[in-house]
């Protein structure tokens, strides 16, 4: 089981029919790079190779009004989240006015200090001068807001006890075997997580005053004193080694003109409840990102845009970190303020994916990369929040696997009540309100982090899953939207009791499937029925042991926010448990050919029976042992479609870029104007065989310098198609190739057949144009399917490899 076939984020603009196109025949392929995001460790690429796909997701950001976002967050933090309370926002705006106007206080803080901190915030200075005053404002406000009770709202959550903490230090995370480095300016954390990096050798907290009072103290009083001590000393200090799993939200700061405060007004002496005043800009612009990927070097962008869709060149509105400075430079550009200055970068860990290389990114992309880290750090995350602050305006960015939504700007100095309401809502969030999945409970087993999942099942009673999330074989996802597949080794007493113990164990596949699609369990049910009638399918498809669909569609928040077409591309979380299979990349020579050929036979029968796989990739070609024979398995059906289904949908995916047929790796194919046919999937099988044969030797991945096809995994669809077209037309083994001569002859023969078919189709099209005939239909008959496969089986290379197989396999 491997999710390497995943592709992400089809942009809406790519779905539009081209001029003169009658209808979309096949939905466009996504612009994501699953091979990068799913196999960073295998490819050895840096996260900068993934940035274009993060950027593509951000280009598609939806917008909502600030009050709609605040109302939705308040609703989530209310005592009755499922019951609409339309007056919550107005009620809360009135209730926080004493905090805004310096009239609230506790035993440890007074809200009048908020205005002092805000006056410090608006002073001239460089970007990092923003952090301290903002953190002080936030933490004083949180302490005061904790005392405010509003009818219909929950109490603060002391087990979280959120606090604002300066960071501006490198944060590391492993993705398979590669390490990433990010450096958010400010983070929101649970109090205990914020204090942990400042723990001294004796187990206390640096700067924390030891209580001299004898006798027990109330837990709440101890917590508040601990919080106050941290606010006074370490909240504006730089922590070391903050783990991404603890981060609740990131706050990234920018100044339009570093060192100046033009346009930043001082805080008001008195605040009242007013209507939201639109900021300028009202939303953070992203159009300039489209212009950037149209610049020279476009062949390395995630996909080539249609000419008609090219965005005009637009400047980034001063929101990148690499702004020219008249009064100072961004803190991330100052060697004195960073552990990873230019002088030090050359000495950094070569396995570090992107050591502080985000400095020149647009703030929206930079913050998107933080979101990707937060998604990767926890299992089954439902959604995330981050905040971008430019001068005196903040934007809340909401991320989930359907996409991204940003709210209109809030001037948090002139409209302080709305900022206070945001903090009031977030302070009442439990971890699950922050998007953590409460169904997966972290536990430690033999010193390693695991996750436990238990649920009542109608047939099996309680199903227990122990997900071994720290296992080396776990396959993780790095990105923002799409299926976000994780594959995790799993053990289960209930499933073992029902099925017995599998020699290779079991795996759980956790992913966000499109709610409008036929689900993978439904497709596998159809596949199971076909397997009963056809030997070519029986034993050659994955064994689904158990599955569960979570009832948390991503469309719900969009409906609440008033986002247009909220259900388009809505996703729900699935967990499927399978018998563990072995990857085809472990095989070579005749064993590779045998398993690969078995998968082709299974695929053809399924296609004839109305199950169209449409995502043939090495990660989806698996095998296992049965009676001393290798049994090939065609795996992963979450992108499959049924012939009798209602048709393609706007966000449907059609394959994994490096292995897709050349017809689909065109601008027309990406716009959905090329119907996905059987021959496209069979061509994908050929590309898979070439990929495996040229990147592995005897089942072992070659060194990077000997892997000529790696670049395909980092290119967009059209650029990758151009590379593959050149490769096919100039078939020759790479220098110092390890590949066996019989395998190479087989591949050359297959590519020759592909070229012949392409030439014949092109010739037929030219004749139809000359004769003014209607273009030939793209429908395929069973004889067409059999004939296309037979043309490959008739090659000398195929025949030679078939003779090497045992009679039972021929």
């Amino acid at each position: 089981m491997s999710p390497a076939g995943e592709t992400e984020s089809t942009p809406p603009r790519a779905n539009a029919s081209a001029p003169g196109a009658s209808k979309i025949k096949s939905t466009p392929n996504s612009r994501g790079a699953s091979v990068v995001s799913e196999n960073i460790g295998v490819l050895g690429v840096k996260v900068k190779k993934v940035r274009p796909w993060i950027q593509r997701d951000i280009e598609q950001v939806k917008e909502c009004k600030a009050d709609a976002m605040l109302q939705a967050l308040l609703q989530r933090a209310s005592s009755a989240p499922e019951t609409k309370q339309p007056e919550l926002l107005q009620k809360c705006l009135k209730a926080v006015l004493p905090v805004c106007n310096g009239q609230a206080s506790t035993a440890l803080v007074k809200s009048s200090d908020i205005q002092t901190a805000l006056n410090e915030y608006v002073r001239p200075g460089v970007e990092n001068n923003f952090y301290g005053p903002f953190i002080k404002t936030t933490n004083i406000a949180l302490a005061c807001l904790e005392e405010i009770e509003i009818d219909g709202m929950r109490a603060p959550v002391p087990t979280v006890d959120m606090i604002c903490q300066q960071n501006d230090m490198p944060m590391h995370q492993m993705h398979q075997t590669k390490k990433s480095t990010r450096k958010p300016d400010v983070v929101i954390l649970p109090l205990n997580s914020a204090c942990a990096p400042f723990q001294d050798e004796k187990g206390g907290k640096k700067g924390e005053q030891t209580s001299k009072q004898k006798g027990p103290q109330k837990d709440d009083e101890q917590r508040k004193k601990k919080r106050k001590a941290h606010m006074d000393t370490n909240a504006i200090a730089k922590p070391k080694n903050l783990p991404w799993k603890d981060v609740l939200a990131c706050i990234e700061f920018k100044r339009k003109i570093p060192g100046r405060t033009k346009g930043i007004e001082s805080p008001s002496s008195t605040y009242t409840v007013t209507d939201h005043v639109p900021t300028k800009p009202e939303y953070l612009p992203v159009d300039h990102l489209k212009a950037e990927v149209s610049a020279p070097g476009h062949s390395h962008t995630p996909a080539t845009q249609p000419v008609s869709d090219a965005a005009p060149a637009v400047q980034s509105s001063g929101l990148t970190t690499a702004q020219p400075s008249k009064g100072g430079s961004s803190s991330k550009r100052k060697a004195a303020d960073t552990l990873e200055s230019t002088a030090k970068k050359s000495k950094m860990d070569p396995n570090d994916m992107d050591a502080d290389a985000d400095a020149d990114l647009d703030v929206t992309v930079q913050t998107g990369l933080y979101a990707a880290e937060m998604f990767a750090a926890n299992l089954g995350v439902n959604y995330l929040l981050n905040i971008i602050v430019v001068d005196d305006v903040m934007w809340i960015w909401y991320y989930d696997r359907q996409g991204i939504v940003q709210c209109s700007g809030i001037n948090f100095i002139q409209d302080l009540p709305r900022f206070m309401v945001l903090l009031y809502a977030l302070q009442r969030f439990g971890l699950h309100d922050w998007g953590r999945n409460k169904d997966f409970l972290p536990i430690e087993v033999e010193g390693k982090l695991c996750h436990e999942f238990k649920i009542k099942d109608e047939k099996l009673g309680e199903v227990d899953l122990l997900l071994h999330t720290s296992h080396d074989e776990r396959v993780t996802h790095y990105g923002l939207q799409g299926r976000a597949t994780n594959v995790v080794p799993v053990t289960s007493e209930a499933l073992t009791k029902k099925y017995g113990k599998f020699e290779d164990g079991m795996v759980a596949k956790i992913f966000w499937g499109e709610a409008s699609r036929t689900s993978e369990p439904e497709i596998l049910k159809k596949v199971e029925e076909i397997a009963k009638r056809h030997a070519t399918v029986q034993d050659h498809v994955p064994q689904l042991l158990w599955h569960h669909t979570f009832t948390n569609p991503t469309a719900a928040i969009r409906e609440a926010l008033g986002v247009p077409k909220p259900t388009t591309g809505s996703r729900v979380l699935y967990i499927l448990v399978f018998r563990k299979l072995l990857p085809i990349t472990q095989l070579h020579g005749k064993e590779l050919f045998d398993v690969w050929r078995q998968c082709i036979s299974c695929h053809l029968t399924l296609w004839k029976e109305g199950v169209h796989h449409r995502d043939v990739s090495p990660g989806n070609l698996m095998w296992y042992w049965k009676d001393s024979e290798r049994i090939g398995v065609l795996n992963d059906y979450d992108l499959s479609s049924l012939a009798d289904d209602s048709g393609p949908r706007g966000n449907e995916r059609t394959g994994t870029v490096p292995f897709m047929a050349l017809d689909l790796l065109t601008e027309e194919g990406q716009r959905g104007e090329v119907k996905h046919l059987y021959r496209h999937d069979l061509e994908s099988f050929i590309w898979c065989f070439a990929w495996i044969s040229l990147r592995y030797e005897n089942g072992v991945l070659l060194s990077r310098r000997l892997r000529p096809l790696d670049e395909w995994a980092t290119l967009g669809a059209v650029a990758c198609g151009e590379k593959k077209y050149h490769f096919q037309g100039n078939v020759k083994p790479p220098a110092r190739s390890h590949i066996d001569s019989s395998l190479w002859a087989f591949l050359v023969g297959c590519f020759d057949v592909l070229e012949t078919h392409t030439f014949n189709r092109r010739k037929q099209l030219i004749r139809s144009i000359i004769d003014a005939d209607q273009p030939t239909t793209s429908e395929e008959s069973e004889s067409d399917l059999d004939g296309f496969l037979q043309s490959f089986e008739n090659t000398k290379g195929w025949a030679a490899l078939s003779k090497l197989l045992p009679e039972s396999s021929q």
Side-chain angles (χ1 to χ4, degrees):
M1 169 70 59
S2 169
E6 176 166 349
T7 49
E8 305 291 337
S9 84
T10 307
R13 61 179 178 275
N15 286 351
S17 299
S22 59
K23 65 177 182 177
I24 291 179
K25 298 179 180 178
S26 170
T27 50
N29 178 66
S30 80
R31 296 190 175 191
S34 64
V35 177
V36 175
S37 66
E38 305 296 354
N39 296 292
I40 289 171
V42 172
L43 289 179
V45 298
K46 295 186 177 181
V47 161
K48 66 182 179 182
K49 295 289 188 181
V50 185
R51 286 180 193 154
W53 285 270
I54 300 291
Q55 182 168 310
R56 288 291 186 182
D57 289 344
I58 290 168
E59 286 177 30
Q60 303 165 52
V61 65
K62 307 299 182 184
E63 298 168 348
C64 73
K65 295 298 183 181
D67 281 1
M69 179 68 79
L70 292 175
Q71 172 68 31
L73 297 178
L74 286 168
Q75 183 73 40
R76 194 164 280 173
S78 72
S79 53
E82 304 302 323
T83 304
K84 290 186 178 180
Q85 303 177 65
E87 301 301 319
L88 269 183
L89 177 57
Q90 289 302 311
K91 190 188 298 185
C92 292
L93 284 171
K94 293 176 183 177
V96 301
L97 287 179
V99 178
C100 300
N101 292 322
Q103 300 165 349
S105 63
T106 72
L108 298 174
V109 299
K110 54 185 185 295
S111 67
S112 56
D113 289 338
I114 290 175
Q115 188 172 65
T116 303
L118 289 177
N119 279 318
E120 183 182 351
Y121 181 91
V122 301
R123 292 174 183 169
V126 295
E127 180 195 298
N128 58 340
N129 288 355
F130 272 19
Y131 308 158
F134 184 92
I135 292 166
K136 290 177 185 176
T137 297
T138 301
N139 288 334
I140 294 169
L142 287 169
C144 295
L145 291 169
E146 189 173 346
E147 308 293 325
I148 295 178
E149 296 181 5
I150 300 175
D151 184 42
M153 295 297 296
R154 295 200 301 255
V157 182
T159 53
V160 176
D161 203 10
M162 64 170 278
I163 195 166
C164 195
Q165 171 70 52
Q166 180 167 335
N167 182 56
D168 202 27
M169 290 284 284
M171 291 176 60
H172 306 291
Q173 186 166 209
M174 296 303 297
H175 304 273
Q176 267 82 295
T177 60
K178 296 297 168 181
K179 183 169 68 174
S180 65
T181 300
R182 303 283 172 229
K183 199 170 159 188
D185 296 333
V186 173
V187 292
I188 294 176
L189 298 165
L191 177 62
N192 287 337
S193 299
C195 293
F198 299 98
Q199 188 170 351
D200 61 27
E201 295 178 357
K202 296 180 180 180
K205 303 293 186 233
K206 296 179 182 177
E208 182 177 345
Q209 298 295 321
T210 303
S211 174
K212 297 181 180 180
Q213 183 176 346
K214 294 183 180 180
Q217 292 182 329
K218 293 181 179 179
D219 290 344
D220 194 49
E221 291 177 356
Q222 289 180 325
R223 177 183 63 80
K224 289 179 179 178
K225 288 185 177 181
K226 175 182 178 181
R227 182 184 184 89
K228 182 65 165 62
H230 187 79
M231 286 169 54
D232 291 344
T233 57
N234 293 327
I236 54 174
K238 295 184 177 184
K240 294 183 180 180
N241 304 320
L242 273 181
W244 276 107
K245 68 180 179 62
D246 292 343
V247 175
L248 302 175
C250 295
I251 306 175
E252 194 69 7
F253 291 82
K254 294 292 167 283
R255 284 206 165 179
K256 292 179 182 177
I257 306 177
R260 297 186 179 182
T261 56
K262 181 179 179 180
I264 303 182
E265 298 180 18
S266 297
S268 174
S269 57
T270 305
Y271 291 94
T272 59
V273 176
T274 61
D275 291 337
H276 176 256
V277 178
T279 57
K280 295 183 179 180
E282 186 173 10
Y283 298 96
L284 280 172
V286 296
D287 284 347
H288 60 281
L289 300 178
K290 303 173 189 177
E292 288 171 11
V293 299
S294 298
H298 69 280
S299 62
H300 292 276
T301 62
T304 302
Q305 298 186 74
V307 175
S308 60
D309 194 40
V314 181
Q315 291 187 352
S316 61
S317 304
L319 303 181
T320 63
T321 51
Q323 292 296 319
S325 171
K326 295 182 180 180
S329 61
S330 165
S331 64
K332 293 200 174 168
R333 305 293 291 170
K334 292 179 65 180
D337 290 344
T338 176
L339 296 183
E340 301 179 45
S341 65
T342 303
K344 295 180 180 180
K345 284 182 181 178
S346 61
K347 299 180 181 179
M348 297 193 66
D349 183 354
N351 287 327
D352 197 322
M353 290 199 301
D354 243 355
D356 195 32
D358 298 339
D360 295 333
L361 294 178
D362 185 89
V363 65
T364 60
V365 179
Q366 196 171 346
T367 312
L369 285 163
Y370 302 156
E373 298 288 348
M374 295 160 69
F375 272 128
N378 294 279
L379 189 65
V381 177
N382 293 312
Y383 51 81
L384 297 169
L385 294 173
N386 280 332
I387 297 172
I388 297 174
V389 179
V390 180
D391 293 343
D392 52 356
V393 180
M394 64 167 47
W395 289 267
I396 305 166
W397 281 56
Y398 180 101
Y399 308 81
D400 64 20
R401 298 308 188 175
Q402 185 175 344
I404 308 167
V405 182
Q406 67 159 318
C407 77
S408 54
I410 300 172
N411 188 315
F412 65 93
I413 295 179
Q414 302 309 313
D415 197 351
L416 186 60
R418 279 178 170 76
F419 180 32
M420 294 297 105
V421 166
L422 171 63
L423 296 178
Y424 186 86
L426 298 181
Q427 188 180 50
R428 282 144 183 82
F429 273 17
L431 284 177
H432 65 281
D433 297 306
W434 284 102
R436 301 294 195 269
N437 196 310
K438 60 183 177 182
D439 294 301
F440 299 114
L441 302 177
I443 61 170
E444 193 170 289
V445 178
E446 297 179 354
K448 292 189 175 182
L449 177 67
C450 297
H451 284 80
E452 193 174 48
F453 175 72
K454 293 183 178 180
I455 195 169
K456 290 291 183 182
D457 184 89
E458 292 182 3
K459 297 180 179 179
L460 299 179
E462 184 178 76
V463 172
D464 62 302
L465 301 181
L466 182 61
L467 301 158
H468 299 271
T469 39
S470 296
H471 199 285
D472 291 341
E473 293 183 2
R474 176 188 176 185
V475 181
T476 58
H477 172 269
Y478 188 93
L480 293 182
Q481 65 189 65
R483 288 177 296 160
T485 306
N486 271 246
V487 178
V488 189
V490 64
T491 51
S492 168
E493 292 183 6
L495 297 182
T496 300
K497 183 178 179 181
K498 179 178 180 180
Y499 295 102
K501 190 173 183 180
F502 294 102
E503 182 179 351
D504 294 314
M506 299 178 291
V507 293
K509 176 182 177 181
I510 304 165
F511 69 101
W512 290 85
E514 287 190 54
S516 61
R517 285 181 51 84
T518 304
S519 70
E520 185 170 9
E522 290 178 85
I523 291 175
L524 286 172
K525 185 177 181 180
K526 176 75 179 270
V527 167
E528 186 179 346
E529 294 171 357
I530 297 170
K532 294 175 182 177
R533 305 191 302 268
H534 296 277
T536 52
V537 177
Q538 190 176 19
D539 295 333
H540 296 285
V541 290
Q543 183 179 3
L544 178 60
L545 306 176
W546 183 82
H547 67 91
H548 176 70
T549 305
F550 296 83
T551 55
N552 53 343
T554 56
I557 183 65
R558 286 160 178 78
E559 292 171 346
L561 296 176
V563 174
K565 299 181 179 179
T567 60
T568 300
S570 178
R571 292 182 178 271
V572 292
L573 186 63
Y574 293 89
I575 179 167
L576 282 61
V577 179
F578 294 93
R579 173 183 180 173
K580 182 183 175 183
L581 300 168
L582 302 172
I584 197 172
T585 52
Q586 290 182 354
L587 306 178
H588 63 283
K590 63 180 181 181
E591 290 82 10
L592 169 63
F593 175 76
D594 185 21
V595 167
W596 176 82
R597 185 191 53 79
Q598 291 178 48
C599 292
I600 288 177
S601 297
C602 174
H603 174 275
L604 175 60
T605 303
L606 289 175
W607 193 282
K608 290 178 179 179
E609 292 288 330
V611 177
H612 299 170
H613 191 279
R614 306 186 344 133
D615 186 25
V616 175
S617 63
N620 294 340
L621 308 180
M622 312 290 285
W623 65 281
Y624 65 97
W625 288 105
K626 181 181 180 181
D627 299 331
S628 301
E629 290 187 11
R630 292 182 179 86
I631 306 299
V633 174
L634 182 63
N635 202 32
D636 279 2
Y637 291 79
D638 52 2
L639 292 188
S640 303
S641 63
L642 300 178
D644 56 0
D645 202 355
S646 56
R649 298 176 176 88
N651 280 15
E652 196 172 358
R653 310 296 189 242
T654 58
T656 305
V657 167
F659 317 110
M660 287 174 65
L662 294 180
D663 282 357
L664 302 177
L665 296 178
T666 60
E667 292 184 2
E668 294 81 6
Q670 293 301 291
R671 291 198 297 267
E673 297 163 18
V674 179
K675 184 172 182 178
H676 195 126
L677 303 171
Y678 167 76
R679 62 178 172 82
H680 295 137
D681 271 16
L682 186 53
E683 183 177 336
S684 292
F685 274 104
I686 306 299
W687 290 114
C688 287
F689 199 100
W691 174 274
I692 297 166
S693 299
L694 291 172
R695 296 183 74 250
Y696 293 83
E697 182 175 12
N698 296 329
V700 178
L701 187 68
L702 293 166
S703 63
R704 193 167 300 124
R705 62 187 178 84
L706 297 177
R707 304 200 303 256
L709 309 184
D710 277 13
E711 184 186 15
W712 294 0
T714 67
L715 296 175
V718 176
C720 183
E722 293 169 354
K723 287 284 186 181
K724 289 171 65 176
Y725 184 81
H726 177 79
F727 176 88
Q728 180 178 306
N730 298 271
V731 180
K732 58 182 179 180
R736 295 173 292 173
S737 176
H738 64 283
I739 191 167
D740 182 81
S741 58
S742 61
L743 285 181
W744 187 248
F746 163 72
L747 279 173
V748 170
C750 288
F751 284 123
D752 181 55
V753 172
L754 285 175
E755 273 205 295
T756 300
H757 281 288
T758 301
F759 175 81
N760 290 337
R761 287 194 301 272
R762 187 177 297 118
K763 190 173 181 180
Q764 190 176 33
L765 176 61
I766 292 172
R767 284 178 177 172
S768 68
I769 294 173
I770 294 173
D771 297 337
D773 292 336
Q774 289 293 327
T776 56
T777 177
S778 60
E779 298 302 320
E780 294 174 312
S781 65
E782 283 200 16
S783 61
D784 292 330
L785 274 56
D786 292 328
F788 192 67
L789 176 57
Q790 189 65 49
S791 63
F792 292 93
E793 293 176 339
N794 288 340
T795 61
K796 292 181 179 180
W798 190 298
L801 286 173
S802 296
K803 290 179 180 178
L804 299 177
L805 303 180
E807 290 185 8
S808 59
S809 298
Q810 292 183 22

